[in-house]
Coordinates of all heavy atoms in Angstrom, one line a residue:
E1 N 131.9 169.1 120.1 CA 130.4 169.2 120.4 C 130.2 169.6 121.9 O 130.8 169.1 122.8 CB 129.8 167.8 120.2 CG 128.3 167.9 120.1 CD 127.7 166.6 119.6 OE1 128.4 165.7 119.1 OE2 126.4 166.5 119.8
G2 N 129.3 170.7 122.0 CA 129.0 171.1 123.3 C 129.9 172.2 123.9 O 129.7 172.7 125.0
H3 N 130.9 172.6 123.1 CA 131.9 173.6 123.5 C 132.0 174.7 122.5 O 131.7 174.5 121.3 CB 133.3 172.9 123.7 CG 133.4 172.0 124.8 ND1 132.9 170.7 124.7 CD2 133.9 172.1 126.1 CE1 133.1 170.0 125.9 NE2 133.7 170.9 126.7
P4 N 132.4 175.9 122.9 CA 132.5 177.0 121.9 C 133.8 176.7 121.0 O 134.7 176.0 121.4 CB 132.8 178.2 122.8 CG 133.3 177.7 124.1 CD 132.6 176.3 124.3
V5 N 133.7 177.3 119.8 CA 134.8 177.2 118.9 C 136.1 177.9 119.5 O 135.9 179.0 119.9 CB 134.5 177.7 117.5 CG1 135.7 177.7 116.6 CG2 133.4 176.9 116.9
L6 N 137.2 177.3 119.4 CA 138.4 177.8 120.0 C 139.4 178.2 118.8 O 139.6 177.3 118.0 CB 139.1 176.8 120.9 CG 140.4 177.2 121.5 CD1 140.3 178.3 122.5 CD2 141.0 175.9 122.2
V7 N 139.9 179.4 118.8 CA 141.0 179.7 117.9 C 142.3 179.3 118.5 O 142.8 179.9 119.5 CB 141.0 181.3 117.6 CG1 142.2 181.6 116.6 CG2 139.7 181.7 116.9
V8 N 143.0 178.3 117.9 CA 144.2 177.7 118.5 C 145.4 178.6 118.1 O 146.3 178.8 118.9 CB 144.4 176.3 117.9 CG1 145.7 175.7 118.5 CG2 143.2 175.4 118.3
A9 N 145.5 179.0 116.9 CA 146.6 179.8 116.4 C 146.2 180.6 115.2 O 145.3 180.3 114.5 CB 147.8 178.9 116.1
E10 N 147.0 181.7 115.0 CA 146.8 182.6 113.8 C 148.1 182.8 113.1 O 149.2 182.9 113.8 CB 146.2 183.9 114.2 CG 144.7 183.8 114.6 CD 144.1 185.1 114.9 OE1 144.8 186.0 115.5 OE2 142.9 185.3 114.5
E11 N 148.1 182.9 111.8 CA 149.3 183.1 111.0 C 148.9 183.8 109.7 O 147.7 183.9 109.4 CB 149.9 181.8 110.7 CG 151.3 181.8 110.0 CD 152.3 182.6 110.7 OE1 153.0 182.1 111.6 OE2 152.4 183.8 110.4
S12 N 149.9 184.4 109.0 CA 149.6 185.0 107.7 C 150.0 184.0 106.6 O 150.8 183.1 106.8 CB 150.3 186.3 107.5 OG 151.7 186.1 107.6
F13 N 149.3 184.1 105.5 CA 149.5 183.2 104.4 C 149.4 184.0 103.1 O 148.5 184.8 102.9 CB 148.3 182.1 104.4 CG 148.4 181.0 103.4 CD1 149.1 179.9 103.7 CD2 147.8 181.1 102.2 CE1 149.2 178.8 102.8 CE2 147.9 180.1 101.3 CZ 148.6 178.9 101.6
Q14 N 150.4 183.8 102.3 CA 150.5 184.7 101.1 C 150.2 183.9 99.8 O 150.7 182.9 99.5 CB 151.9 185.2 101.0 CG 152.1 186.3 99.9 CD 153.4 186.9 99.9 OE1 154.4 186.5 100.5 NE2 153.6 188.0 99.1
F15 N 149.2 184.5 99.0 CA 148.9 184.0 97.7 C 149.8 184.8 96.7 O 149.7 186.0 96.7 CB 147.4 184.2 97.4 CG 146.5 183.2 98.1 CD1 145.9 183.5 99.3 CD2 146.3 181.9 97.6 CE1 145.1 182.6 100.0 CE2 145.5 181.0 98.3 CZ 144.9 181.4 99.5
V16 N 150.6 184.1 96.0 CA 151.5 184.8 95.1 C 151.1 184.5 93.6 O 150.4 183.6 93.3 CB 153.0 184.3 95.3 CG1 153.5 184.6 96.7 CG2 153.1 182.8 95.0
Q17 N 151.6 185.4 92.8 CA 151.3 185.4 91.3 C 152.3 184.4 90.7 O 153.5 184.7 90.8 CB 151.3 186.8 90.7 CG 150.9 186.8 89.3 CD 150.4 188.2 88.9 OE1 150.0 189.0 89.8 NE2 150.4 188.5 87.6
D18 N 151.9 183.4 90.0 CA 152.8 182.5 89.3 C 152.6 182.5 87.8 O 151.8 183.3 87.3 CB 152.7 181.1 89.9 CG 151.3 180.5 89.7 OD1 150.4 181.2 89.0 OD2 151.0 179.4 90.2
E19 N 153.3 181.7 87.1 CA 153.2 181.7 85.7 C 151.8 181.3 85.2 O 151.4 181.8 84.1 CB 154.3 180.7 85.1 CG 155.7 181.1 85.2 CD 156.3 180.6 86.6 OE1 155.5 180.1 87.4 OE2 157.5 180.7 86.7
A20 N 151.2 180.4 85.9 CA 149.8 180.0 85.4 C 148.9 181.2 85.5 O 148.0 181.4 84.7 CB 149.3 178.8 86.3
Y21 N 149.0 181.9 86.6 CA 148.1 183.1 86.8 C 148.4 184.1 85.7 O 147.5 184.7 85.1 CB 148.4 183.7 88.2 CG 147.4 184.8 88.6 CD1 146.2 184.5 89.3 CD2 147.7 186.1 88.4 CE1 145.3 185.4 89.7 CE2 146.8 187.1 88.8 CZ 145.6 186.8 89.4 OH 144.8 187.7 89.8
D22 N 149.7 184.3 85.4 CA 150.1 185.3 84.3 C 149.5 184.8 83.0 O 149.0 185.6 82.2 CB 151.6 185.4 84.2 CG 152.3 186.1 85.4 OD1 151.6 186.9 86.0 OD2 153.5 185.9 85.6
A23 N 149.6 183.5 82.7 CA 149.1 183.0 81.5 C 147.6 183.2 81.4 O 147.1 183.6 80.3 CB 149.5 181.5 81.4
A24 N 146.9 182.9 82.4 CA 145.4 183.0 82.4 C 145.0 184.5 82.2 O 144.1 184.8 81.4 CB 144.8 182.5 83.7
Q25 N 145.7 185.4 82.9 CA 145.4 186.8 82.7 C 145.7 187.3 81.3 O 144.9 188.0 80.7 CB 146.3 187.7 83.6 CG 145.7 187.7 85.1 CD 146.4 188.9 85.8 OE1 147.6 189.1 85.8 NE2 145.6 189.6 86.5
F26 N 146.8 186.8 80.7 CA 147.2 187.1 79.3 C 146.1 186.6 78.4 O 145.6 187.3 77.5 CB 148.5 186.6 79.0 CG 148.9 186.6 77.5 CD1 149.2 187.9 76.9 CD2 148.9 185.5 76.7 CE1 149.5 188.0 75.5 CE2 149.2 185.6 75.3 CZ 149.5 186.8 74.8
L27 N 145.7 185.3 78.5 CA 144.7 184.8 77.6 C 143.4 185.4 77.7 O 142.7 185.7 76.7 CB 144.6 183.3 77.9 CG 145.8 182.4 77.5 CD1 145.7 181.0 78.1 CD2 146.0 182.4 76.0
A28 N 143.0 185.7 79.0 CA 141.7 186.4 79.2 C 141.7 187.8 78.5 O 140.7 188.2 77.9 CB 141.4 186.6 80.7
S29 N 142.8 188.5 78.6 CA 142.9 189.8 78.0 C 143.0 189.8 76.5 O 142.7 190.8 75.9 CB 144.1 190.6 78.6 OG 145.3 190.0 78.2
C30 N 143.4 188.7 75.9 CA 143.6 188.7 74.4 C 142.4 188.0 73.7 O 142.5 187.7 72.5 CB 144.9 188.1 74.0 SG 145.1 186.4 74.2
A31 N 141.3 187.8 74.4 CA 140.1 187.2 73.7 C 139.7 188.2 72.6 O 139.4 189.3 72.9 CB 139.0 187.0 74.7

């Protein structure tokens, strides 16, 4: 409070495709 927002650190973060994502894509496509 009363101070500007400070960026302490930055990093990359990877969202990967897993079996659940594959299953959801398959089910959505076979409606």
